[in-house]
Amino acid sequence: EVSLVESGGGSVQDGGSLRLSCTASGFTFDGSDVGWSRQVPGAECELVSTISRDGSTFYADSVKGRFAISQDNAKSTVFLEINTLKPDDTAVYYCATDAAVSGSFYPCPRNRRFGLWGRGTQVTVSS
């Protein structure tokens, strides 16, 4: 059974940092893209970062210069380092992939390119 599991979330103060992890089970990210999205209750998902199969990266303007995405050599885990955190960064953070796998949980259905999503990890930033 394939799955994605996020970890590393928690509660931090304004200006703090966390390192989020997204681990693939039953497959690897090799040859695929991986994205991190976040969602506040009642709001649309925001795609905050991606790492592509060729190693290129993308960051939303809202996080550029503060977040950093990376991948382990085994292509089994993608990390998102989130720094200089602000209260507006408070959200559930999800990872997802366009690998040839799929699931039944779609927290951000408008992001159609990603077929497999994790359940998310909560990040809370206090002012």
Side-chain angles (χ1 to χ4, degrees):
E1 184 71 20
V2 299
S3 66
L4 292 179
V5 179
E6 302 96 336
S7 62
S11 298
V12 299
Q13 292 185 333
D14 192 353
S17 299
L18 291 168
R19 193 188 195 205
L20 310 182
S21 298
C22 172
T23 299
S25 295
F27 73 106
T28 72
F29 296 125
D30 190 30
S32 304
D33 298 345
V34 181
W36 284 93
S37 300
R38 64 186 182 185
Q39 185 181 43
V40 177
E44 294 289 331
C45 287
E46 178 187 20
L47 180 66
V48 299
S49 185
T50 62
I51 184 164
S52 298
R53 60 203 72 202
D54 65 357
S56 62
T57 58
F58 158 83
Y59 299 96
D61 288 343
S62 58
V63 307
K64 194 171 297 182
R66 300 188 297 119
F67 290 13
I69 193 168
S70 61
Q71 188 168 286
D72 72 341
N73 291 333
K75 307 295 185 183
S76 63
T77 304
V78 169
F79 305 97
L80 186 69
E81 184 179 340
I82 57 178
N83 304 303
T84 318
L85 290 167
K86 304 178 289 186
D88 284 349
D89 295 317
T90 295
V92 177
Y93 284 71
Y94 299 96
C95 69
T97 183
D98 68 355
V101 294
S102 63
S104 59
F105 179 69
Y106 302 100
C108 306
R110 292 179 62 86
N111 295 334
R112 300 181 183 91
R113 64 178 294 199
F114 300 123
L116 182 66
W117 294 74
R119 292 288 179 167
T121 185
Q122 176 72 48
V123 172
T124 302
V125 184
S126 301
S127 61

